[in-house]
Amino acid sequence: MKIVAAKLIVCSPDRNFVTLKIETDEGIYGLGDATLNGRELAVASYLEEHVIPCLIGRDPFAIEDVWQYLYRGAYWRRGPVTMTAISAVDVALWDIKGKALHTPIYNLLGGKSRQGVLVYAHANGSDIPGAIESTKKLMAEGYLAVRVQCGVPGVASSYGVPKGSKPYEPAERGLPSENVWSTERYLNFVPQLFEALRREVGEDVHLLHDVHHRLTPIEAARLGKALEPYHLYWMEDPTPAEDQDAFRLIRQHTVTPIATGEVFNSFWDAHDLIRNQWVDYLRMTIVHGGGITALKKAADFAAVYQVKTGFHGATDLSPVTMAAALHFGLAIHNFGIQEHMPHTSLTDQVFPHAYRFDAGYMVPGDEPGLGVDIDERLAQKYPYQRAYLPIARKLDGTLTDW
């Protein structure tokens, strides 16, 4: 079997997606997600101009060799554009191999380690009563774990809180919007939110919270300590992780579990965090971390230090990556939890898939390969539209981390 063609499908069924389709001389094709939120066309250009020409004629079963060729052979390593492109190729090749061998990808990774993949949903509200109501609604739908975000009093806009009645979607058409942020008001408010939540929803449901890189290490340590009575499943991205050593200070002051890594694009971004056990969950996602091949190595390394996975799963990855994450999570031993932010019905129509939600868990299905396809004719009806994530400024106008 040889690769004979590859092409990109760039579409926007309610949000932008870049999909790589690799075709073989035996009529089998595989799909890979190449979506990089707000920088989609940069990855598309990298694939079109520099990667796809190098794939033609290669053996699609030689996944490890192709990965090393694209990573080491380019000389310029890492970075979100390069690693997203490599991820797309890698996942597409795993899809081809699964289809050729007539088996789901999880069987190629060692088979099932569990019956289903525990997922968490997003609850949000403009105030505490709204956040509680949203959490209860998701629990009634069967979710066993819920991430909760809430509007902060005195702050005009808050991360994770939707505008109007639509589901939360951070990417916005046009140029970047600006949000306002107050660390002081946030730190005083969040413990009140989770105190009220535990009082209303009980002790059994897993509660999570995303800080979204907004705090300094000592501020994050203060928040983690304040949240200890409410035993969160995790506190996510408490501080920017460029300085991995910063997490040592947080760990010294709180036993609230820590998750980080959704913006990582290499195992090395998490090396010290894992080796020193400064985090409990690795959030790096298959679409930006180098694909299934790279994440399997990262997960195996993390398992040595009892660090689990908790992959990013927002709508800035397509159903192709969601399926890959579910196959991966079903197979590896040190899986923790998977983020599940459902796509719109239009996105699901463009990307028909075999995975499904059932009573707090998701399963990838038993179709060969990923179990996801793309309706190219329908995708053509929704062309790319420029969109960006917002930026954040403090009350005094200082630009801060979003």
Side-chain angles (χ1 to χ4, degrees):
M1 185 186 293
K2 298 293 182 183
I3 296 172
V4 295
K7 67 177 180 179
L8 293 173
I9 304 159
V10 182
C11 61
S12 190
D14 294 327
R15 64 135 24 256
N16 293 321
F17 297 108
V18 179
T19 306
L20 174 66
K21 183 177 183 180
I22 297 178
E23 302 174 0
T24 70
D25 57 358
E26 294 187 13
I28 299 173
Y29 63 86
L31 299 180
D33 184 10
T35 307
L36 182 62
N37 203 345
R39 298 293 184 271
E40 295 90 352
L41 297 186
V43 183
S45 177
Y46 187 86
L47 282 164
E48 191 76 57
E49 301 296 334
H50 304 293
V51 173
I52 288 177
C54 297
L55 297 177
I56 307 306
R58 293 188 175 276
D59 177 1
F61 269 40
I63 297 176
E64 178 71 26
D65 185 69
V66 171
W67 194 98
Q68 298 294 344
Y69 178 89
L70 295 176
Y71 182 80
R72 297 177 185 272
Y75 184 68
W76 306 107
R77 301 185 184 185
R78 302 170 61 179
V81 173
T82 295
M83 298 308 293
T84 301
I86 291 175
S87 300
V89 174
D90 185 77
V91 171
L93 297 184
W94 281 96
D95 192 22
I96 289 171
K97 181 173 284 191
K99 290 175 179 176
L101 298 177
H102 307 289
T103 193
I105 286 176
Y106 62 75
N107 279 335
L108 305 180
L109 299 172
K112 294 181 181 180
S113 288
R114 55 196 50 82
Q115 294 304 308
V117 175
L118 179 67
V119 295
Y120 70 89
H122 292 192
N124 43 57
S126 58
D127 54 21
I128 290 178
I132 292 172
E133 179 183 358
S134 179
T135 302
K136 288 182 175 179
K137 180 177 181 294
L138 291 168
M139 292 170 62
E141 293 173 6
Y143 284 97
L144 306 174
V146 182
R147 191 196 81 169
V148 187
Q149 308 296 134
C150 186
V152 178
V155 178
S157 56
S158 297
Y159 165 75
V161 179
K163 298 176 181 178
S165 58
K166 293 184 178 181
Y168 178 66
E169 168 54 66
E172 299 175 339
R173 306 295 191 191
L175 297 178
S177 63
E178 294 192 8
N179 291 342
V180 180
W181 176 253
S182 170
T183 299
E184 296 77 14
R185 294 175 183 178
Y186 170 80
L187 284 173
N188 290 331
F189 173 72
V190 173
Q192 300 174 41
L193 167 65
F194 283 94
E195 179 183 21
L197 275 164
R198 279 297 176 210
R199 186 168 58 247
E200 291 291 328
V201 304
E203 301 292 323
D204 293 335
V205 62
H206 297 303
L207 296 179
L208 304 85
H209 181 68
D210 187 359
V211 182
H212 222 258
H213 317 103
R214 302 292 178 89
L215 304 178
T216 65
I218 197 65
E219 290 167 346
R222 168 186 161 188
L223 179 61
K225 192 169 185 65
L227 292 175
E228 285 177 7
Y230 316 115
H231 53 91
L232 268 62
Y233 191 94
W234 75 37
M235 175 176 66
E236 179 183 338
D237 287 335
T239 195
E242 286 93 338
D243 177 13
Q244 295 186 40
D245 196 61
F247 283 74
R248 184 207 323 243
L249 188 149
I250 303 173
R251 177 65 92 199
Q252 288 172 340
H253 290 280
T254 181
V255 295
T256 295
I258 300 169
T260 198
E262 72 177 59
V263 299
F264 292 176
N265 54 74
S266 165
F267 156 77
W268 295 104
D269 295 328
H271 177 266
D272 290 349
L273 295 173
I274 293 170
R275 180 175 59 85
N276 293 299
Q277 297 179 303
W278 292 335
V279 298
D280 304 278
Y281 297 91
L282 178 63
R283 293 268 296 138
M284 189 163 62
T285 183
I286 286 171
V287 69
H288 302 137
I292 292 171
T293 298
L295 267 295
K296 182 64 166 65
K297 295 173 182 176
D300 288 343
F301 178 77
V304 175
Y305 298 95
Q306 301 188 63
V307 173
K308 298 181 180 180
T309 64
F311 288 173
H312 180 60
T315 49
D316 61 350
L317 49 82
S318 84
V320 173
T321 295
M322 176 55 74
L326 294 176
H327 283 277
F328 192 92
L330 198 67
I332 64 166
H333 182 260
N334 61 319
F335 167 79
I337 198 168
Q338 171 64 47
E339 181 178 17
H340 177 223
M341 191 174 175
H343 292 101
T344 66
S345 60
L346 181 56
T347 296
D348 286 339
Q349 291 173 43
V350 172
F351 294 93
H353 51 263
Y355 64 74
R356 67 186 188 277
F357 173 81
D358 183 17
Y361 296 85
M362 291 184 73
V363 292
D366 296 322
E367 294 294 318
L370 284 170
V372 178
D373 208 340
I374 185 168
D375 186 332
E376 295 186 52
R377 183 173 297 180
L378 182 58
Q380 289 178 351
K381 296 181 179 180
Y382 304 98
Y384 168 84
Q385 298 183 48
R386 180 179 287 111
Y388 289 95
L389 295 171
I391 64 172
R393 294 185 184 272
K394 294 184 178 180
L395 297 179
D396 66 358
T398 304
L399 192 73
T400 189
D401 295 291
W402 187 81

